[in-house]
């Protein structure tokens, strides 16, 4: 079924194919000639070169030339892959032979086969290296190391089955590691035997300790000794692969051994066991510190040195844990961490010194974290007394702070850690950059220690109040002293405020303390406000404690809350006066703002206390409006005048509501008439202000509530009075050509008239025949259609007249 073309067609196809072949041959010949000129440079470059064609031949017209495919793998890569694959296959074949076909041969045959094969394979790399086939020799050497391992296994299975497997494995790995190391040293060009020897050397000590059942301490010691040997190899190895394998072994076995030693130290029940675990931890620490001391890259030292320091601290802390009574573990660990700082700095390399400092800092942070619950209970415990005011003096300071929070165990021992860290920060940090931060941290720790000390010592309740008050006074004295860096001063200010808050809640237990503590705190914070840098915090704190004192005074006197509200208003009045004094002091805008915000919050508190009595609420609102008006006198606080006006209006409305007044005019006119006066004054000062801005709000407040009341009022003089007022407003707007009075007054007048004429319109609509409304509507439409153009002109004229008004 083959298709045979006609002779003429076949001839045409053959000619075309021959032409393509000739063109391709010419292109290849040109490329060959150009390559020859590149590979063989002409000694006379300036002489002409006859007979050479262009390096680029003309492309065939039927398509672009096909570029040769690029290889996806390099020749060395393919070689290494093949060698690796061959070595793996031979190793697998040897394993299968050893494990499966071993029983078909006798003792002599077995030894002869494996021995001869192993010797031949181990000798082959020598000849291969002489011929320069290093990669092939490396692969064959790997096969040889695998065969030696199989020889060791075969020897045990053939004649040493009575020997314990673990003990035999320990000896075999040691022998193999020595043989492979010697073989690698003999053939210095090979790397694989040394790597195999180093990998096998990780097992002899560990397997030997397990084989003799030496116990957990011996096994851990074996791990650490092996890790130490790996560290030595990693530090002295010349080749990078060997160094990498040694580092991996040192890190893996070292982490395993250090973890096991730490667990043994934690679970030790006596000084002897703890001492053995501490010795293991010291060995691990020595390995890490030795590596950090001699490590070339500083980054490795910065990792190894902190690990060594932490292991040394764990060793000392674990030993002291068994020697000291219960609860002293945290102080012991903290002391060991501080002891790291006593190492002479001049004798240590800089990376090691920095690493030990980091380890000491980590230990101290852990000790502080253990003491943090105690400090939190000492500060936040009094907050739970907010709902149990004046319930009686507690038995002692500890009972006062543990009403709702549990007391931590071993509190006296836990309190040693923050005090110790504070001393360390004060004594050791001397540089100019870190000194302010260290001082701020020491202030926080010393404050927490002193604040928790009364509860820890279970002092009497009154003594605890005096002690915490003294701590707060000391913090304020540090703020007002003027010798501190800004950061420690800010820290002391925040600590004083936090301490005063806890102290104020702690004083709620008795009436006397509730009255005394806020008074003393008000005086202290007011005295500290003389320091300009602290006024933004201390002045508002003084106002807050003054408000608390006012509330406590009212409660102690048995006053109703409305009378207490009048006493609380003293605080916003004092805040307004203090803000006025601060306004003349340069650079005190932040303090002035915080004082005014605190005064506003106190005013809101006073309003909340008086909200149950409308008459007193109106009085409180009016007095608050007076304070706001006094504040608005200052040029930079003019907008407060709006709040003052709103407070006065609200006070008037509350008073009217308390009197039972229901007429809307009584609420609207007191607002509308002053607003009209303000609009008139503004128009006189600024004629560009429109009537809508000047009079619109006042007229709306004046007319709209009455208009709404008119539509619900069937009888009374209100419609007549509203119509008269709307007519007056309309006339005034027309007289002075003011848009807002004209529009609002006219609209109100029209709606008021419609309200009055509504009954008659209803009667008229009922008297007319049914056909009359449609007829009237049709006549109206006809009239509008006939005079459409003139009506449009009239509407435009009215719009223009209104547009020319203000």
């Amino acid at each position: 079924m083959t298709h045979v073309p006609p002779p003429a067609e076949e001839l045409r196809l053959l000619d075309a194919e021959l032409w393509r072949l000739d063109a391709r041959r010419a292109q290849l010949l040109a490329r060959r000639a150009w390559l020859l000129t590149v590979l063989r440079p002409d000694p006379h470059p300036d002489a002409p070169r006859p007979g050479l064609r262009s390096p680029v031949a003309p492309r065939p017209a039927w398509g672009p030339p096909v570029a040769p495919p690029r290889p996806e793998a390099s020749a060395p890569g393919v070689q290494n892959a093949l060698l690796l694959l061959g070595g793996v296959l031979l190793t697998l074949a040897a394993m299968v032979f050893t494990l499966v076909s071993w029983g078909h041969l006798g003792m002599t045959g077995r030894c002869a086969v494996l021995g001869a094969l192993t010797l031949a394979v181990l000798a082959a790399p020598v000849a291969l290296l002489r011929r320069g086939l290093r990669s092939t020799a490396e692969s064959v050497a790997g096969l040889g190391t695998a065969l030696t391992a199989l020889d060791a296994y075969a020897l045990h299975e053939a004649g040493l089955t009575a020997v314990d497997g673990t003990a035999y494995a320990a000896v075999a790995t040691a022998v193999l590691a020595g043989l492979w190391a010697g073989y690698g040293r003999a053939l210095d060009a090979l790397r694989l035997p040394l790597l195999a020897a180093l990998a096998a050397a990780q097992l002899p000590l560990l397997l030997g300790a397990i084989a003799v059942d030496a116990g957990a301490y011996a096994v851990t010691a074996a791990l650490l000794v092996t890790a130490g040997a790996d560290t030595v190899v990693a530090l002295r190895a010349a080749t990078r692969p060997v160094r990498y394998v040694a580092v991996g072994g040192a890190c893996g076995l070292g982490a395993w051994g250090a973890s096991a030693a730490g667990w043994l130290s934690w679970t030790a029940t006596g000084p002897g066991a703890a001492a053995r675990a501490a010795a293991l931890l010291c060995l691990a620490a020595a390995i890490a510190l030795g590596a950090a001391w001699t490590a070339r890259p500083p980054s490795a030292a910065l990792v190894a040195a902190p690990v060594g320091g932490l292991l040394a601290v764990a060793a000392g802390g674990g030993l002291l844990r068994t020697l000291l009574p219960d609860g002293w573990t945290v102080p012991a660990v903290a002391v060991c961490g501080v002891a790291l700082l006593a190492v002479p700095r001049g004798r240590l390399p800089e990376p090691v010194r920095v690493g030990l400092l980091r380890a000491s800092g980590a230990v101290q942070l852990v000790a502080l974290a253990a003491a943090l619950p105690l400090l939190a209970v000492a500060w936040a415990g009094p907050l739970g007394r907010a709902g149990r005011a004046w319930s009686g003096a507690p038995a002692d300071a500890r009972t006062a702070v543990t009403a709702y929070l549990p007391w931590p165990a071993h509190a006296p021992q836990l309190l040693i850690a923050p005090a110790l860290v504070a001393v360390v920060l004060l004594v050791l940090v001397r540089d100019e950059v870190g000194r302010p931060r260290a001082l701020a941290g020491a202030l926080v720790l010393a404050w927490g220690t002193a604040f928790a000390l009364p509860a820890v010592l279970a002092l009497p309740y009154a003594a605890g109040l005096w002690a915490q008050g003294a701590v707060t006074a000391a913090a304020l004295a540090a703020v007002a002293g003027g010798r501190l860096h800004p950061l420690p001063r800010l820290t002391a200010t925040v600590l004083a405020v936090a301490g005063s808050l806890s102290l104020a809640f702690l004083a709620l237990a008795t009436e006397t303390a509730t009255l005394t503590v806020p008074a003393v705190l008000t005086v202290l914070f007011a005295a500290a406000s003389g320091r300009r840098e602290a006024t933004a915090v201390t002045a508002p704190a003084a106002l807050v404690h003054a408000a608390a004192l006012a509330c406590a005074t009212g409660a102690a006197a048995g006053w109703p809350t409305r009378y207490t509200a009048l006493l609380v208003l003293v605080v916003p009045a004092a805040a307004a006066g203090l803000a006025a004094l601060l306004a003349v002091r340069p650079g005190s805008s932040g303090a002035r703002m915080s004082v005014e915000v605190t005064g506003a919050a106190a005013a809101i508190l006073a309003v909340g206390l008086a909200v149950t009595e409308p008459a007193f609420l109106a009085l409180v609102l009016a007095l608050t409006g007076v304070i706001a008006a006094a504040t608005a006198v200052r040029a930079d606080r003019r907008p407060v005048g709006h709040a003052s006006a709103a407070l006065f209006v609200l006070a008037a409305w509350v008073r009217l509501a308390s009197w039972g007044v229901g007429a809307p005019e009584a609420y609207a006119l007191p607002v509308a008439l002053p607003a009209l006066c303000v609009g008139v004054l503004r128009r006189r000062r600024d004629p560009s202000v429109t009537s809508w801005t000047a009079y619109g709000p006042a007229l709306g407040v004046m007319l709209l509530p009455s208009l709404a009341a008119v539509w619900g009022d069937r009888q009374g003089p209100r419609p007549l009075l509203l119509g008269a007022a709307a007519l007056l407003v309309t006339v005034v707007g027309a007289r002075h050509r003011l848009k807002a009075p004209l529009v609002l007054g006219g609209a109100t007048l029209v709606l008021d008239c419609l309200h009055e004429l509504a009954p008659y319109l209803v009667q008229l609509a009922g008297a007319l025949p049914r056909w009359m409304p449609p007829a009237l509507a049709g006549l109206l439409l006809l009239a509008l259609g006939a005079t459409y153009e003139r009506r449009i002109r009239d509407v435009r004229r009215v719009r223009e007249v209104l547009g020319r008004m203000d």
Side-chain angles (χ1 to χ4, degrees), residues 151-236:
D151 288 340
Y153 169 77
L155 181 62
H156 179 268
E157 293 297 322
L160 301 176
T161 54
V163 180
D164 179 65
T166 306
Y168 180 80
V171 175
T173 52
V175 173
L176 289 176
L179 291 177
W180 291 344
Y183 183 69
R185 288 294 183 182
L187 303 178
D188 192 46
L190 300 180
R191 297 180 180 178
L192 191 58
L194 292 178
L195 299 179
L198 187 58
Q202 311 299 313
L203 300 176
L205 291 180
L206 176 62
L207 295 177
I210 296 175
V212 299
D213 196 13
Y217 291 93
V219 173
T220 305
L223 290 172
L224 293 177
V225 171
T226 307
D230 290 335
T231 303
V232 174
V233 174
L235 294 174
R236 296 185 177 182

Side-chain angles (χ1 to χ4, degrees), residues 96-118:
V96 171
F97 172 77
T98 304
L99 298 175
V100 177
S101 302
W102 188 254
H104 300 290
L105 298 176
M107 178 64 66
T108 304
R110 300 172 186 176
C111 295
V113 171
L114 269 183
L117 181 61
T118 302

Side-chain angles (χ1 to χ4, degrees), residues 463-491:
L465 286 178
W466 280 105
Q468 294 186 356
V471 172
T472 305
L476 289 175
V479 172
R483 297 181 180 180
L484 291 178
H485 187 273
L487 180 59
R489 182 185 298 113
L490 177 61
T491 304

Side-chain angles (χ1 to χ4, degrees), residues 454-519:
V456 171
L457 299 178
L459 297 179
Y461 173 71
L465 286 178
W466 280 105
Q468 294 186 356
V471 172
T472 305
L476 289 175
V479 172
R483 297 181 180 180
L484 291 178
H485 187 273
L487 180 59
R489 182 185 298 113
L490 177 61
T491 304
T493 305
V494 174
L495 293 177
V497 173
S500 66
L501 179 64
S502 178
L503 184 59
F505 279 94
L506 185 62
L508 292 176
T510 63
E511 180 178 344
T512 304
T514 306
L515 293 173
T516 304
V517 170

Side-chain angles (χ1 to χ4, degrees), residues 15 21-22 46 53 59 128 138 154 273 292 330 353 405 407 424 439 477 495 522 662 692 733-734 739-741 769 799:
D15 290 338
L21 292 175
D22 290 337
D46 297 333
R53 297 183 180 182
R59 297 179 181 179
L128 293 174
E138 195 82 55
V330 173
R353 186 183 68 83
L405 295 177
W407 183 249
V424 170
L439 186 56
L495 293 177
T522 302
W692 285 109
K739 186 184 297 184
R799 186 179 62 184

